[in-house]
Amino acid sequence: MMDGVSLNTDPVVDDDADADADEFEIEGDCGMAKCISQSGVIQGENPLPPVVGMEFDSYEDVYYFYNCYAKEQGFGVRVSNTWYRKTKERYRGKLSCSSAGFKKKSEANRPRPETRTGCPAMIKFRLMENKRWRIIEVELDHNHLISAVSGKFYKSHKQLRIGTKRALHLDSAEEVQKVRLFRTVVIDVEGNGSVEVSSGEFRSSHNQTSQLRLKDGDAEAIHNYFSHLQLIDPNFFYVVDLNEKGCLRNLFWSNTRSRVAYGYFGDVVAVDTICLTDKYQVPLVSFIGVNHHGQSVLLGCGLLAGDTIEACTWLFRAWLTCMLGRPPQVIITDQCRTLQAAVADVFPRAFHCLCLPRIMQKVPEKLGGLYEYESIRVALNNAVYYSLRPEEFEATWEDMIHHYGLRNHVWLQMLYEDRRQWVPVYLKEIFLAGMLLTRPNEVVESFFDGYLDKHTSLKEFLDKYDQALQANHQLEVLADMESRNSGFMLQSRCYFELQLAKLYTNNILRKFEREVEGMYSCFCTRQINGEGEVITYMVREQIEVDGNRRECRDFEVLYNATEMEVLCVCGLFNFRGYLCRHALSVLHQNGIEEIPPQYVVSQWRKDIKRSYVLNHSNGGIDINNPVHRYDHLYKCIMQVVEEGRKSEVRYKDTVQALDQILRKLNLVEGRL
């Protein structure tokens, strides 16, 4: 699934030449298993198989992780080799399937039957300079059948008691979850190296936020809710992070719908940390995308004990692991040095934008005490929202700084340093799908508005969590039905609107309709340059400035008739995902009756079939194994349920088809 993911660029070098190697084999019920039992039983399954680059705190943690994975897959584990330095310090190891190699021939009268097959499945790992153990080689394929149901028979699983699987233990009155953690480092599939975060660098703040502040009943609420989700959602994903005492520090989770939605709507992702910055009782972090109706969709949630770089980095890596290592093209966060450092570490190839509305919401707090605040606010708005080119912004900003004597204002200095990440004039080449609001007075709404406020407890939030998801799901279903079954009432007979009415969802059409109407406010479209294939037009429009006055502005539009390309200086297409009134005016003036295909965005289309069920193939299914049969049939039937719920007609057809299947199966059983 994630084979070949390389997480660090450090070379792996054998130290055999300058160190004594001591090789030994220990089968099944070995000293290593006894060591593991001291730290507890298995309490949660590993969400992914071992991957090159995963790191662990100790040799024993590697063994425990691989043994847990082996138990879930249905094979045993044994230590094939361990290498030691001259100082008798372990520096390298190899864990193999218990069927690896072959036993020596026995001369006994009644030798035991051969159980080994020379199986190649194994992991190799070594001690790195940061004193963490890193997996350096992985082989997942076995040369024999494996079955999860047989895992309980292997000696290496002796200490992993099934009865305590997924248990949440409470620590005295604090009710702190104790689930063993494997802090997996996973970043994008291109194999970029990750920057190690020094624990000492944040020691002071880390000690103050070393565990979640759970109130009475919170841990039990987490346990109950996660147990419920695992029953109804076989692909529910979660990861926990524990501190040195085994207490819950950070938590991440995502359901199947969110994981599938990321595949459709994951190019631009916003990270909502308002609960951290505004000190909510629930330290929630939400990953948000936008669907084909322009509605927010949840792509995962986390709880953080503190807003340290270490915590944010852990959360981003957990989320990226859940999404199979595929990073977004653009990620949007609040302006925060901690978040900026974590994003640069985990998403080095994503373009990092800062949330413009959240920055502008801070203006009264940061500048409200200044003598000429109202004039400064107007000047700042003009620079940010109405500049069409970078040089125009730079000049307007400099005039503001000089005129009001703001040269030494620390917050404004920081904004200027980060200007390429939040000022719209610098973001016009980045496709943002309407996720970054770039107009004055626009406000970012939280996904959980109405379900979570500063005083909501964690237990209350978990009680309301499903309601929030169901309400969001219902909005999407209703919008789907409206777009599919009811025709959009066109306000004009414009060819562009007629074209997109057949393709786009109604919500997006309503937004595009404003641009079609705006064509008629563009009262002058003239060609100013016609050299070569690219023609330059100037489109004049009367716009509203600062909410109380109107002025005429000229918008430059480049048009290439050969390539059918049109580019406006306002940048609306990349900001919102549909062409602006200025570009439409130029197309109309040139006799173009349809929007060129490169400007028809697939994300807004209503004719694309989207199913919120993870795609499971039957590869690797052993049809002779009842567990494999059950698991595969369950996942297949979930796809039937997803399709059957979409309308009353589909529901009736689904019930009828299932009845026919049951009758056929009963007839077959009667013949046996």
Side-chain angles (χ1 to χ4, degrees):
M1 184 156 43
M2 290 182 61
D3 296 355
V5 178
S6 177
L7 284 69
N8 293 277
T9 55
D10 300 348
V12 177
V13 181
D14 287 341
D15 296 323
D16 298 353
D18 58 358
D20 293 330
D22 181 18
E23 299 185 5
F24 60 90
E25 291 190 357
I26 304 176
E27 291 185 48
D29 188 11
C30 61
M32 182 65 70
K34 293 176 182 177
C35 175
I36 295 303
S37 68
Q38 297 172 7
S39 57
V41 296
I42 182 170
Q43 300 172 9
E45 60 190 50
N46 299 310
L48 289 175
V51 175
V52 171
M54 285 182 173
E55 291 189 356
F56 304 85
D57 290 329
S58 67
Y59 185 106
E60 289 73 22
D61 276 355
V62 183
Y63 181 94
Y64 189 91
F65 166 81
Y66 193 55
N67 201 20
C68 292
Y69 166 72
K71 185 177 187 301
E72 291 296 324
Q73 297 296 310
F75 67 94
V77 171
R78 63 191 184 87
V79 180
S80 290
N81 304 90
T82 301
W83 285 264
Y84 291 81
R85 303 186 193 279
K86 292 179 180 179
T87 58
K88 296 186 179 181
E89 176 191 26
R90 290 179 298 193
Y91 72 93
R92 186 167 173 150
K94 178 182 177 182
L95 303 179
S96 301
C97 171
S98 58
S99 295
F102 297 94
K103 289 183 178 180
K104 295 179 180 179
K105 290 185 178 180
S106 173
E107 296 181 0
N109 293 330
R110 299 178 63 184
R112 292 182 180 180
E114 178 61 78
T115 58
R116 299 191 188 179
T117 63
C119 181
M122 61 84 198
I123 63 169
K124 290 182 181 178
F125 53 101
R126 63 167 292 123
L127 183 65
M128 308 306 293
E129 291 182 1
N130 62 0
K131 300 303 179 183
R132 287 168 65 81
W133 291 82
R134 181 183 303 162
I135 295 179
I136 59 174
E137 187 177 342
V138 174
E139 176 56 62
L140 297 179
D141 293 333
H142 297 258
N143 64 2
H144 56 97
L145 289 177
I146 58 175
S147 169
V149 79
S150 67
K152 59 177 181 254
F153 299 116
Y154 288 98
K155 291 182 180 179
S156 64
H157 304 157
K158 187 175 181 180
Q159 303 297 331
L160 306 183
R161 292 174 285 175
I162 295 175
T164 53
K165 181 181 177 183
R166 292 190 180 283
L168 293 180
H169 294 277
L170 306 182
D171 184 11
S172 66
E174 294 182 342
E175 292 189 296
V176 179
Q177 178 181 355
K178 287 193 172 182
V179 182
R180 192 168 181 82
L181 166 74
F182 306 108
R183 298 174 66 186
T184 305
V185 181
V186 180
I187 61 173
D188 68 81
V189 295
E190 297 296 329
N192 299 300
S194 64
V195 179
E196 292 293 336
V197 180
S198 170
S199 57
E201 186 177 350
F202 312 101
R203 181 61 62 188
S204 58
S205 62
H206 179 67
N207 288 340
Q208 296 170 6
T209 57
S210 61
Q211 70 183 69
L212 284 173
R213 298 183 183 91
L214 299 182
K215 293 185 177 181
D216 188 39
D218 283 351
E220 184 178 2
I222 295 173
H223 176 210
N224 292 340
Y225 184 68
F226 279 23
S227 298
H228 168 69
L229 283 182
Q230 288 164 347
L231 286 174
I232 65 174
D233 184 353
N235 295 297
F236 174 68
F237 179 103
Y238 76 94
V239 189
V240 297
D241 179 19
L242 309 183
N243 64 15
E244 293 78 5
K245 296 180 180 180
C247 298
L248 180 60
R249 178 165 54 197
N250 304 309
L251 178 65
F252 169 79
W253 72 94
S254 179
N255 62 15
T256 297
R257 187 177 182 87
S258 294
R259 298 176 71 185
V260 177
Y262 180 70
Y264 297 127
F265 314 118
D267 287 342
V268 184
V269 174
V271 181
D272 185 356
T273 54
I274 189 68
C275 295
L276 295 181
T277 55
D278 287 2
K279 307 301 181 185
Y280 281 40
Q281 283 194 37
V282 179
L284 181 73
V285 177
S286 305
F287 295 85
I288 307 296
V290 65
N291 68 9
H292 48 305
H293 302 290
Q295 302 166 337
S296 294
V297 290
L298 187 66
L299 303 177
C301 286
L303 299 177
L304 295 184
D307 55 353
T308 63
I309 293 180
E310 182 183 42
C312 294
T313 300
W314 180 90
L315 181 66
F316 290 163
R317 286 173 175 162
W319 179 77
L320 190 58
T321 301
C322 176
M323 302 308 173
L324 303 182
R326 185 174 75 85
Q329 299 295 314
V330 179
I331 190 161
I332 303 170
T333 72
D334 285 352
Q335 187 190 32
C336 168
R337 291 293 182 246
T338 297
L339 288 170
Q340 288 170 269
V343 169
D345 182 0
V346 183
F347 307 107
R349 296 197 175 189
F351 189 90
H352 185 193
C353 292
L354 305 180
C355 183
L356 172 58
R358 293 270 168 82
I359 289 176
M360 300 306 286
Q361 285 172 14
K362 296 178 183 177
V363 170
E365 173 195 345
K366 300 293 186 180
L367 305 180
L370 298 178
Y371 174 64
E372 296 182 88
Y373 165 69
E374 189 58 34
S375 298
I376 294 172
R377 184 193 65 80
V378 172
L380 180 62
N381 275 7
N382 287 337
V384 172
Y385 291 114
Y386 302 111
S387 297
L388 292 177
R389 294 177 177 80
E391 56 271 20
E392 185 180 342
F393 168 79
E394 300 279 354
T396 308
W397 182 277
E398 178 58 30
D399 286 346
M400 177 189 71
I401 296 295
H402 176 74
H403 183 78
Y404 298 105
L406 302 172
R407 189 75 59 191
N408 298 320
H409 196 284
V410 175
W411 186 65
L412 289 176
Q413 287 178 347
M414 187 168 63
L415 287 185
Y416 185 75
E417 290 172 4
D418 293 337
R419 64 193 182 281
R420 298 182 186 279
Q421 292 178 275
W422 66 276
V423 179
V425 75
Y426 295 102
L427 305 175
K428 294 177 181 179
E429 296 183 5
I430 310 298
F431 186 75
L432 297 168
M435 287 286 288
L436 188 71
L437 305 180
T438 57
R439 292 169 177 162
N441 303 318
E442 289 184 309
V443 178
V444 177
E445 294 183 0
S446 172
F447 183 88
F448 292 102
D449 273 349
Y451 301 92
L452 178 65
D453 58 37
K454 288 186 177 182
H455 307 294
T456 305
S457 69
L458 178 57
K459 186 176 183 300
E460 289 177 280
F461 171 66
L462 291 177
D463 289 340
K464 296 178 180 179
Y465 184 83
D466 273 342
Q467 297 176 31
L469 265 59
Q470 287 300 323
N472 178 262
H473 183 199
Q474 187 68 17
L475 287 175
E476 182 174 325
V477 170
L478 291 174
D480 279 340
M481 292 175 62
E482 181 196 14
S483 296
R484 184 171 57 247
N485 300 328
S486 61
F488 185 75
M489 297 297 295
L490 300 176
Q491 299 299 315
S492 72
R493 303 302 297 172
C494 173
Y495 290 118
F496 303 135
E497 198 172 13
L498 288 169
Q499 174 194 2
L500 294 189
K502 300 174 183 177
L503 303 175
Y504 280 5
T505 60
N506 289 2
N507 284 2
I508 301 301
L509 281 172
R510 292 186 185 99
K511 298 176 182 179
F512 177 70
E513 187 178 55
R514 290 195 284 269
E515 297 307 310
V516 173
E517 294 171 353
M519 289 172 59
Y520 303 105
S521 66
C522 299
F523 54 86
C524 179
T525 302
R526 67 187 191 278
Q527 179 179 331
I528 62 172
N529 187 350
E531 297 180 4
E533 294 183 345
V534 179
I535 303 173
T536 304
Y537 289 87
M538 198 64 70
V539 180
R540 177 163 295 179
E541 181 192 10
Q542 193 175 60
I543 65 171
E544 188 177 273
V545 179
D546 205 33
N548 55 12
R549 62 187 179 88
R550 301 184 71 85
E551 67 176 39
C552 290
R553 297 292 301 271
D554 289 332
F555 295 87
E556 184 180 82
V557 180
L558 304 180
Y559 175 63
N560 185 332
T562 304
E563 301 293 334
M564 291 297 291
E565 293 178 346
V566 60
L567 178 65
C568 180
V569 70
C570 78
L572 185 78
F573 177 75
N574 277 339
F575 287 146
R576 303 283 172 166
Y578 44 82
L579 287 177
C580 64
R581 58 195 65 185
H582 318 114
L584 295 175
S585 296
V586 170
L587 290 176
H588 178 70
Q589 183 162 313
N590 281 272
I592 306 300
E593 297 183 350
E594 284 196 348
I595 294 174
Q598 63 265 41
Y599 302 109
V600 177
V601 179
S602 61
Q603 183 165 339
W604 310 139
R605 296 185 69 134
K606 62 184 177 183
D607 56 343
I608 293 180
K609 184 179 180 181
R610 299 176 178 93
S611 174
Y612 292 101
V613 177
L614 284 176
N615 182 26
H616 295 280
S617 66
N618 61 354
I621 298 298
D622 177 12
I623 61 173
N624 296 315
N625 186 313
V627 176
H628 284 207
R629 293 198 302 266
Y630 176 89
D631 186 55
H632 183 62
L633 286 172
Y634 183 86
K635 291 168 181 175
C636 289
I637 204 67
M638 287 302 296
Q639 297 182 50
V640 176
V641 171
E642 178 67 21
E643 293 299 320
R645 66 158 184 83
K646 292 182 177 179
S647 69
E648 184 178 343
V649 173
R650 286 191 174 197
Y651 167 77
K652 292 179 178 178
D653 288 343
T654 302
V655 172
Q656 183 179 358
L658 290 175
D659 285 341
Q660 291 175 357
I661 292 173
L662 284 174
R663 285 197 297 269
K664 183 176 180 180
L665 291 174
N666 289 332
L667 286 173
V668 171
E669 184 178 5
R671 295 170 184 168
L672 296 177

